[in-house]
Amino acid sequence: MESFTHTKLQSSCIMLHDLLLARPLSDLFSALSLPSLRVLEARRNSHIYASWHHESMQAFLARSMCPLETLTIDGRAVITDVQRAEYVSLIPSLEAVNYAYRYF
């Protein structure tokens, strides 16, 4: 995927509807830079539990250097308390890392 920077986008919701799309999510995070992003919501709609793409999310946040305030990870993606703490330490403006472990 080709690199892309969007300098004005402040809020985004990314929804995955199948486990097979998990790799493209990682590819998307690897290609995107969103320096104005304040709110990000990522949702998985799958009946299968899967690990979260933590490394690609960290790289995305570090590259974007955005003033992110809220990160929400929803659906059946599995993240740990350590991973949430790493997001907070990476982005000083981050006020909330929300995590919902549910199927929608």
mmCIF file of all heavy atoms in Angstrom, residues 9-50:
data_model
loop_
_atom_site.group_PDB
_atom_site.id
_atom_site.type_symbol
_atom_site.label_atom_id
_atom_site.label_comp_id
_atom_site.label_asym_id
_atom_site.label_seq_id
_atom_site.Cartn_x
_atom_site.Cartn_y
_atom_site.Cartn_z
ATOM 1 N N LEU A 9 -7.626 15.464 8.816
ATOM 2 C CA LEU A 9 -8.536 14.498 9.431
ATOM 3 C C LEU A 9 -8.334 14.461 10.946
ATOM 4 O O LEU A 9 -7.227 14.236 11.424
ATOM 5 C CB LEU A 9 -8.311 13.103 8.849
ATOM 6 C CG LEU A 9 -9.318 12.042 9.269
ATOM 7 C CD1 LEU A 9 -10.680 12.335 8.637
ATOM 8 C CD2 LEU A 9 -8.838 10.669 8.862
ATOM 9 N N GLN A 10 -9.414 14.686 11.711
ATOM 10 C CA GLN A 10 -9.332 14.732 13.163
ATOM 11 C C GLN A 10 -10.015 13.554 13.850
ATOM 12 O O GLN A 10 -9.745 13.275 15.012
ATOM 13 C CB GLN A 10 -9.927 16.040 13.678
ATOM 14 C CG GLN A 10 -9.130 17.242 13.272
ATOM 15 C CD GLN A 10 -9.676 18.516 13.908
ATOM 16 O OE1 GLN A 10 -10.512 18.491 14.804
ATOM 17 N NE2 GLN A 10 -9.188 19.641 13.431
ATOM 18 N N SER A 11 -10.891 12.870 13.134
ATOM 19 C CA SER A 11 -11.623 11.752 13.721
ATOM 20 C C SER A 11 -11.797 10.664 12.674
ATOM 21 O O SER A 11 -12.084 10.961 11.514
ATOM 22 C CB SER A 11 -12.992 12.236 14.213
ATOM 23 O OG SER A 11 -13.725 11.173 14.758
ATOM 24 N N SER A 12 -11.630 9.411 13.113
ATOM 25 C CA SER A 12 -11.778 8.310 12.174
ATOM 26 C C SER A 12 -12.320 7.080 12.886
ATOM 27 O O SER A 12 -11.969 6.810 14.041
ATOM 28 C CB SER A 12 -10.418 7.971 11.533
ATOM 29 O OG SER A 12 -10.560 6.923 10.617
ATOM 30 N N CYS A 13 -13.181 6.348 12.193
ATOM 31 C CA CYS A 13 -13.684 5.064 12.675
ATOM 32 C C CYS A 13 -13.397 4.038 11.583
ATOM 33 O O CYS A 13 -13.836 4.189 10.443
ATOM 34 C CB CYS A 13 -15.182 5.130 12.958
ATOM 35 S SG CYS A 13 -15.838 3.547 13.536
ATOM 36 N N ILE A 14 -12.639 3.018 11.943
ATOM 37 C CA ILE A 14 -12.282 1.955 11.000
ATOM 38 C C ILE A 14 -13.008 0.699 11.456
ATOM 39 O O ILE A 14 -12.867 0.276 12.602
ATOM 40 C CB ILE A 14 -10.764 1.720 10.986
ATOM 41 C CG1 ILE A 14 -10.044 2.994 10.561
ATOM 42 C CG2 ILE A 14 -10.410 0.556 10.075
ATOM 43 C CD1 ILE A 14 -8.557 2.960 10.782
ATOM 44 N N MET A 15 -13.787 0.090 10.550
ATOM 45 C CA MET A 15 -14.546 -1.105 10.888
ATOM 46 C C MET A 15 -14.105 -2.265 10.011
ATOM 47 O O MET A 15 -14.072 -2.142 8.785
ATOM 48 C CB MET A 15 -16.035 -0.860 10.717
ATOM 49 C CG MET A 15 -16.553 0.229 11.638
ATOM 50 S SD MET A 15 -18.325 0.459 11.507
ATOM 51 C CE MET A 15 -18.898 -0.975 12.381
ATOM 52 N N LEU A 16 -13.771 -3.378 10.645
ATOM 53 C CA LEU A 16 -13.421 -4.610 9.942
ATOM 54 C C LEU A 16 -14.567 -5.591 10.107
ATOM 55 O O LEU A 16 -15.058 -5.793 11.216
ATOM 56 C CB LEU A 16 -12.155 -5.223 10.527
ATOM 57 C CG LEU A 16 -10.884 -4.454 10.304
ATOM 58 C CD1 LEU A 16 -9.739 -5.128 11.033
ATOM 59 C CD2 LEU A 16 -10.575 -4.380 8.828
ATOM 60 N N HIS A 17 -14.939 -6.237 9.025
ATOM 61 C CA HIS A 17 -16.075 -7.150 9.096
ATOM 62 C C HIS A 17 -15.691 -8.602 8.921
ATOM 63 O O HIS A 17 -16.546 -9.458 8.836
ATOM 64 C CB HIS A 17 -17.120 -6.762 8.048
ATOM 65 C CG HIS A 17 -17.744 -5.440 8.348
ATOM 66 N ND1 HIS A 17 -18.702 -5.277 9.309
ATOM 67 C CD2 HIS A 17 -17.504 -4.215 7.854
ATOM 68 C CE1 HIS A 17 -19.057 -4.013 9.385
ATOM 69 N NE2 HIS A 17 -18.342 -3.339 8.517
ATOM 70 N N ASP A 18 -14.400 -8.905 8.878
ATOM 71 C CA ASP A 18 -13.990 -10.279 8.687
ATOM 72 C C ASP A 18 -12.558 -10.445 9.151
ATOM 73 O O ASP A 18 -11.740 -9.564 8.979
ATOM 74 C CB ASP A 18 -14.111 -10.651 7.202
ATOM 75 C CG ASP A 18 -13.985 -12.130 6.987
ATOM 76 O OD1 ASP A 18 -12.860 -12.635 7.070
ATOM 77 O OD2 ASP A 18 -15.001 -12.791 6.730
ATOM 78 N N LEU A 19 -12.246 -11.597 9.701
ATOM 79 C CA LEU A 19 -10.893 -11.885 10.153
ATOM 80 C C LEU A 19 -9.887 -11.792 9.013
ATOM 81 O O LEU A 19 -8.741 -11.414 9.208
ATOM 82 C CB LEU A 19 -10.838 -13.280 10.781
ATOM 83 C CG LEU A 19 -9.479 -13.735 11.315
ATOM 84 C CD1 LEU A 19 -9.044 -12.828 12.463
ATOM 85 C CD2 LEU A 19 -9.535 -15.176 11.761
ATOM 86 N N LEU A 20 -10.320 -12.117 7.794
ATOM 87 C CA LEU A 20 -9.413 -12.076 6.648
ATOM 88 C C LEU A 20 -8.915 -10.670 6.349
ATOM 89 O O LEU A 20 -7.920 -10.486 5.665
ATOM 90 C CB LEU A 20 -10.098 -12.661 5.407
ATOM 91 C CG LEU A 20 -10.496 -14.123 5.518
ATOM 92 C CD1 LEU A 20 -11.288 -14.535 4.278
ATOM 93 C CD2 LEU A 20 -9.292 -15.003 5.723
ATOM 94 N N LEU A 21 -9.599 -9.664 6.861
ATOM 95 C CA LEU A 21 -9.188 -8.282 6.624
ATOM 96 C C LEU A 21 -8.216 -7.769 7.678
ATOM 97 O O LEU A 21 -7.805 -6.620 7.632
ATOM 98 C CB LEU A 21 -10.418 -7.371 6.596
ATOM 99 C CG LEU A 21 -11.382 -7.611 5.444
ATOM 100 C CD1 LEU A 21 -12.600 -6.710 5.591
ATOM 101 C CD2 LEU A 21 -10.714 -7.400 4.115
ATOM 102 N N ALA A 22 -7.822 -8.608 8.631
ATOM 103 C CA ALA A 22 -6.923 -8.157 9.698
ATOM 104 C C ALA A 22 -5.575 -7.707 9.149
ATOM 105 O O ALA A 22 -5.009 -6.732 9.591
ATOM 106 C CB ALA A 22 -6.736 -9.263 10.728
ATOM 107 N N ARG A 23 -5.041 -8.400 8.187
ATOM 108 C CA ARG A 23 -3.755 -8.006 7.612
ATOM 109 C C ARG A 23 -3.862 -6.664 6.897
ATOM 110 O O ARG A 23 -2.988 -5.818 7.079
ATOM 111 C CB ARG A 23 -3.237 -9.106 6.673
ATOM 112 C CG ARG A 23 -1.931 -8.787 6.026
ATOM 113 C CD ARG A 23 -0.823 -8.692 7.064
ATOM 114 N NE ARG A 23 0.324 -8.073 6.452
ATOM 115 C CZ ARG A 23 1.274 -7.463 7.102
ATOM 116 N NH1 ARG A 23 1.241 -7.389 8.403
ATOM 117 N NH2 ARG A 23 2.278 -6.918 6.482
ATOM 118 N N PRO A 24 -4.906 -6.412 6.092
ATOM 119 C CA PRO A 24 -5.027 -5.088 5.487
ATOM 120 C C PRO A 24 -5.114 -3.958 6.512
ATOM 121 O O PRO A 24 -4.684 -2.855 6.239
ATOM 122 C CB PRO A 24 -6.299 -5.183 4.645
ATOM 123 C CG PRO A 24 -6.357 -6.611 4.249
ATOM 124 C CD PRO A 24 -5.861 -7.346 5.485
ATOM 125 N N LEU A 25 -5.650 -4.220 7.715
ATOM 126 C CA LEU A 25 -5.664 -3.193 8.749
ATOM 127 C C LEU A 25 -4.230 -2.839 9.135
ATOM 128 O O LEU A 25 -3.882 -1.668 9.243
ATOM 129 C CB LEU A 25 -6.437 -3.657 9.978
ATOM 130 C CG LEU A 25 -6.448 -2.677 11.152
ATOM 131 C CD1 LEU A 25 -7.129 -1.369 10.749
ATOM 132 C CD2 LEU A 25 -7.119 -3.292 12.346
ATOM 133 N N SER A 26 -3.401 -3.846 9.307
ATOM 134 C CA SER A 26 -1.998 -3.608 9.618
ATOM 135 C C SER A 26 -1.330 -2.840 8.476
ATOM 136 O O SER A 26 -0.553 -1.918 8.711
ATOM 137 C CB SER A 26 -1.290 -4.948 9.845
ATOM 138 O OG SER A 26 0.055 -4.745 10.153
ATOM 139 N N ASP A 27 -1.628 -3.206 7.242
ATOM 140 C CA ASP A 27 -1.085 -2.503 6.077
ATOM 141 C C ASP A 27 -1.548 -1.050 6.046
ATOM 142 O O ASP A 27 -0.775 -0.152 5.714
ATOM 143 C CB ASP A 27 -1.498 -3.192 4.779
ATOM 144 C CG ASP A 27 -0.842 -4.553 4.590
ATOM 145 O OD1 ASP A 27 0.122 -4.857 5.329
ATOM 146 O OD2 ASP A 27 -1.295 -5.309 3.720
ATOM 147 N N LEU A 28 -2.815 -0.828 6.403
ATOM 148 C CA LEU A 28 -3.357 0.533 6.430
ATOM 149 C C LEU A 28 -2.611 1.380 7.459
ATOM 150 O O LEU A 28 -2.183 2.494 7.164
ATOM 151 C CB LEU A 28 -4.850 0.508 6.752
ATOM 152 C CG LEU A 28 -5.541 1.861 6.878
ATOM 153 C CD1 LEU A 28 -5.539 2.602 5.542
ATOM 154 C CD2 LEU A 28 -6.956 1.688 7.392
ATOM 155 N N PHE A 29 -2.443 0.847 8.677
ATOM 156 C CA PHE A 29 -1.710 1.582 9.704
ATOM 157 C C PHE A 29 -0.268 1.851 9.274
ATOM 158 O O PHE A 29 0.301 2.871 9.625
ATOM 159 C CB PHE A 29 -1.725 0.835 11.034
ATOM 160 C CG PHE A 29 -3.033 0.928 11.768
ATOM 161 C CD1 PHE A 29 -3.519 -0.165 12.464
ATOM 162 C CD2 PHE A 29 -3.782 2.090 11.782
ATOM 163 C CE1 PHE A 29 -4.718 -0.096 13.162
ATOM 164 C CE2 PHE A 29 -4.981 2.180 12.461
ATOM 165 C CZ PHE A 29 -5.447 1.074 13.152
ATOM 166 N N SER A 30 0.322 0.931 8.516
ATOM 167 C CA SER A 30 1.701 1.111 8.055
ATOM 168 C C SER A 30 1.819 2.187 6.979
ATOM 169 O O SER A 30 2.877 2.790 6.830
ATOM 170 C CB SER A 30 2.245 -0.212 7.512
ATOM 171 O OG SER A 30 2.324 -1.160 8.543
ATOM 172 N N ALA A 31 0.758 2.433 6.252
ATOM 173 C CA ALA A 31 0.794 3.401 5.149
ATOM 174 C C ALA A 31 0.323 4.796 5.549
ATOM 175 O O ALA A 31 0.712 5.783 4.936
ATOM 176 C CB ALA A 31 -0.057 2.892 3.987
ATOM 177 N N LEU A 32 -0.515 4.885 6.568
ATOM 178 C CA LEU A 32 -1.153 6.159 6.926
ATOM 179 C C LEU A 32 -0.334 7.021 7.878
ATOM 180 O O LEU A 32 0.351 6.511 8.757
ATOM 181 C CB LEU A 32 -2.471 5.877 7.649
ATOM 182 C CG LEU A 32 -3.752 5.871 6.862
ATOM 183 C CD1 LEU A 32 -4.923 5.624 7.799
ATOM 184 C CD2 LEU A 32 -3.968 7.109 6.067
ATOM 185 N N SER A 33 -0.456 8.313 7.703
ATOM 186 C CA SER A 33 -0.006 9.314 8.672
ATOM 187 C C SER A 33 -1.135 10.325 8.817
ATOM 188 O O SER A 33 -1.606 10.878 7.823
ATOM 189 C CB SER A 33 1.255 10.032 8.185
ATOM 190 O OG SER A 33 2.344 9.164 8.175
ATOM 191 N N LEU A 34 -1.576 10.522 10.059
ATOM 192 C CA LEU A 34 -2.690 11.437 10.332
ATOM 193 C C LEU A 34 -2.276 12.395 11.443
ATOM 194 O O LEU A 34 -2.628 12.210 12.614
ATOM 195 C CB LEU A 34 -3.947 10.641 10.733
ATOM 196 C CG LEU A 34 -4.439 9.614 9.717
ATOM 197 C CD1 LEU A 34 -5.580 8.791 10.299
ATOM 198 C CD2 LEU A 34 -4.856 10.294 8.426
ATOM 199 N N PRO A 35 -1.528 13.450 11.112
ATOM 200 C CA PRO A 35 -0.964 14.333 12.131
ATOM 201 C C PRO A 35 -1.976 15.175 12.912
ATOM 202 O O PRO A 35 -1.615 15.724 13.952
ATOM 203 C CB PRO A 35 -0.006 15.215 11.338
ATOM 204 C CG PRO A 35 -0.467 15.151 9.931
ATOM 205 C CD PRO A 35 -1.086 13.805 9.762
ATOM 206 N N SER A 36 -3.223 15.270 12.472
ATOM 207 C CA SER A 36 -4.229 16.061 13.191
ATOM 208 C C SER A 36 -5.239 15.192 13.932
ATOM 209 O O SER A 36 -6.177 15.712 14.545
ATOM 210 C CB SER A 36 -4.981 16.974 12.214
ATOM 211 O OG SER A 36 -4.091 17.896 11.644
ATOM 212 N N LEU A 37 -5.054 13.882 13.902
ATOM 213 C CA LEU A 37 -6.033 12.961 14.470
ATOM 214 C C LEU A 37 -6.179 13.145 15.977
ATOM 215 O O LEU A 37 -5.208 13.163 16.716
ATOM 216 C CB LEU A 37 -5.621 11.515 14.164
ATOM 217 C CG LEU A 37 -6.676 10.454 14.418
ATOM 218 C CD1 LEU A 37 -7.863 10.633 13.468
ATOM 219 C CD2 LEU A 37 -6.074 9.068 14.265
ATOM 220 N N ARG A 38 -7.433 13.279 16.434
ATOM 221 C CA ARG A 38 -7.738 13.424 17.854
ATOM 222 C C ARG A 38 -8.539 12.247 18.403
ATOM 223 O O ARG A 38 -8.456 11.929 19.582
ATOM 224 C CB ARG A 38 -8.515 14.716 18.104
ATOM 225 C CG ARG A 38 -7.690 15.956 17.822
ATOM 226 C CD ARG A 38 -8.449 17.219 18.191
ATOM 227 N NE ARG A 38 -7.629 18.388 17.995
ATOM 228 C CZ ARG A 38 -6.713 18.827 18.848
ATOM 229 N NH1 ARG A 38 -6.504 18.181 19.956
ATOM 230 N NH2 ARG A 38 -6.021 19.910 18.584
ATOM 231 N N VAL A 39 -9.325 11.606 17.539
ATOM 232 C CA VAL A 39 -10.172 10.491 17.964
ATOM 233 C C VAL A 39 -10.038 9.366 16.943
ATOM 234 O O VAL A 39 -10.209 9.592 15.742
ATOM 235 C CB VAL A 39 -11.655 10.917 18.064
ATOM 236 C CG1 VAL A 39 -12.531 9.732 18.432
ATOM 237 C CG2 VAL A 39 -11.827 12.053 19.058
ATOM 238 N N LEU A 40 -9.727 8.164 17.434
ATOM 239 C CA LEU A 40 -9.636 6.996 16.559
ATOM 240 C C LEU A 40 -10.407 5.854 17.190
ATOM 241 O O LEU A 40 -10.215 5.532 18.368
ATOM 242 C CB LEU A 40 -8.184 6.574 16.345
ATOM 243 C CG LEU A 40 -7.982 5.290 15.529
ATOM 244 C CD1 LEU A 40 -8.561 5.428 14.120
ATOM 245 C CD2 LEU A 40 -6.496 4.930 15.469
ATOM 246 N N GLU A 41 -11.282 5.262 16.395
ATOM 247 C CA GLU A 41 -12.038 4.093 16.820
ATOM 248 C C GLU A 41 -11.789 2.985 15.813
ATOM 249 O O GLU A 41 -11.952 3.193 14.609
ATOM 250 C CB GLU A 41 -13.528 4.427 16.892
ATOM 251 C CG GLU A 41 -14.372 3.312 17.391
ATOM 252 C CD GLU A 41 -15.827 3.722 17.590
ATOM 253 O OE1 GLU A 41 -16.140 4.928 17.503
ATOM 254 O OE2 GLU A 41 -16.635 2.819 17.837
ATOM 255 N N ALA A 42 -11.374 1.833 16.299
ATOM 256 C CA ALA A 42 -11.148 0.673 15.437
ATOM 257 C C ALA A 42 -12.032 -0.459 15.945
ATOM 258 O O ALA A 42 -11.997 -0.803 17.124
ATOM 259 C CB ALA A 42 -9.684 0.262 15.456
ATOM 260 N N ARG A 43 -12.839 -1.031 15.047
ATOM 261 C CA ARG A 43 -13.792 -2.076 15.427
ATOM 262 C C ARG A 43 -13.605 -3.308 14.558
ATOM 263 O O ARG A 43 -13.400 -3.191 13.361
ATOM 264 C CB ARG A 43 -15.227 -1.590 15.242
ATOM 265 C CG ARG A 43 -15.606 -0.458 16.120
ATOM 266 C CD ARG A 43 -17.027 -0.026 15.839
ATOM 267 N NE ARG A 43 -17.460 0.930 16.820
ATOM 268 C CZ ARG A 43 -18.610 0.843 17.474
ATOM 269 N NH1 ARG A 43 -19.437 -0.138 17.236
ATOM 270 N NH2 ARG A 43 -18.922 1.745 18.375
ATOM 271 N N ARG A 44 -13.715 -4.474 15.190
ATOM 272 C CA ARG A 44 -13.722 -5.746 14.468
ATOM 273 C C ARG A 44 -15.088 -6.377 14.658
ATOM 274 O O ARG A 44 -15.548 -6.514 15.776
ATOM 275 C CB ARG A 44 -12.668 -6.703 15.021
ATOM 276 C CG ARG A 44 -11.290 -6.402 14.558
ATOM 277 C CD ARG A 44 -10.321 -7.514 14.934
ATOM 278 N NE ARG A 44 -10.603 -8.706 14.152
ATOM 279 C CZ ARG A 44 -11.022 -9.857 14.668
ATOM 280 N NH1 ARG A 44 -11.228 -10.005 15.949
ATOM 281 N NH2 ARG A 44 -11.245 -10.899 13.895
ATOM 282 N N ASN A 45 -15.688 -6.803 13.582
ATOM 283 C CA ASN A 45 -16.954 -7.518 13.637
ATOM 284 C C ASN A 45 -16.686 -8.939 13.174
ATOM 285 O O ASN A 45 -16.734 -9.234 11.991
ATOM 286 C CB ASN A 45 -17.994 -6.841 12.748
ATOM 287 C CG ASN A 45 -19.350 -7.495 12.874
ATOM 288 O OD1 ASN A 45 -19.558 -8.358 13.718
ATOM 289 N ND2 ASN A 45 -20.264 -7.085 12.032
ATOM 290 N N SER A 46 -16.352 -9.793 14.106
ATOM 291 C CA SER A 46 -16.031 -11.180 13.793
ATOM 292 C C SER A 46 -16.399 -12.031 14.987
ATOM 293 O O SER A 46 -16.359 -11.569 16.121
ATOM 294 C CB SER A 46 -14.538 -11.320 13.481
ATOM 295 O OG SER A 46 -14.221 -12.679 13.266
ATOM 296 N N HIS A 47 -16.741 -13.267 14.746
ATOM 297 C CA HIS A 47 -17.041 -14.176 15.841
ATOM 298 C C HIS A 47 -15.766 -14.823 16.387
ATOM 299 O O HIS A 47 -15.792 -15.556 17.349
ATOM 300 C CB HIS A 47 -18.025 -15.254 15.378
ATOM 301 C CG HIS A 47 -17.479 -16.152 14.317
ATOM 302 N ND1 HIS A 47 -17.373 -15.735 13.009
ATOM 303 C CD2 HIS A 47 -16.972 -17.402 14.376
ATOM 304 C CE1 HIS A 47 -16.838 -16.723 12.303
ATOM 305 N NE2 HIS A 47 -16.588 -17.726 13.104
ATOM 306 N N ILE A 48 -14.625 -14.519 15.785
ATOM 307 C CA ILE A 48 -13.341 -15.101 16.171
ATOM 308 C C ILE A 48 -12.519 -14.065 16.932
ATOM 309 O O ILE A 48 -12.348 -12.935 16.480
ATOM 310 C CB ILE A 48 -12.564 -15.567 14.920
ATOM 311 C CG1 ILE A 48 -13.382 -16.616 14.172
ATOM 312 C CG2 ILE A 48 -11.196 -16.110 15.307
ATOM 313 C CD1 ILE A 48 -12.827 -16.968 12.813
ATOM 314 N N TYR A 49 -11.990 -14.459 18.085
ATOM 315 C CA TYR A 49 -11.100 -13.585 18.847
ATOM 316 C C TYR A 49 -9.744 -13.539 18.157
ATOM 317 O O TYR A 49 -9.267 -14.539 17.639
ATOM 318 C CB TYR A 49 -10.926 -14.091 20.280
ATOM 319 C CG TYR A 49 -12.200 -14.047 21.075
ATOM 320 C CD1 TYR A 49 -12.992 -15.175 21.227
ATOM 321 C CD2 TYR A 49 -12.617 -12.865 21.658
ATOM 322 C CE1 TYR A 49 -14.162 -15.134 21.946
ATOM 323 C CE2 TYR A 49 -13.791 -12.803 22.378
ATOM 324 C CZ TYR A 49 -14.556 -13.941 22.518
ATOM 325 O OH TYR A 49 -15.726 -13.892 23.218
ATOM 326 N N ALA A 50 -9.115 -12.374 18.153
ATOM 327 C CA ALA A 50 -7.806 -12.230 17.510
ATOM 328 C C ALA A 50 -6.986 -11.196 18.260
ATOM 329 O O ALA A 50 -7.522 -10.295 18.893
ATOM 330 C CB ALA A 50 -7.977 -11.799 16.054
#
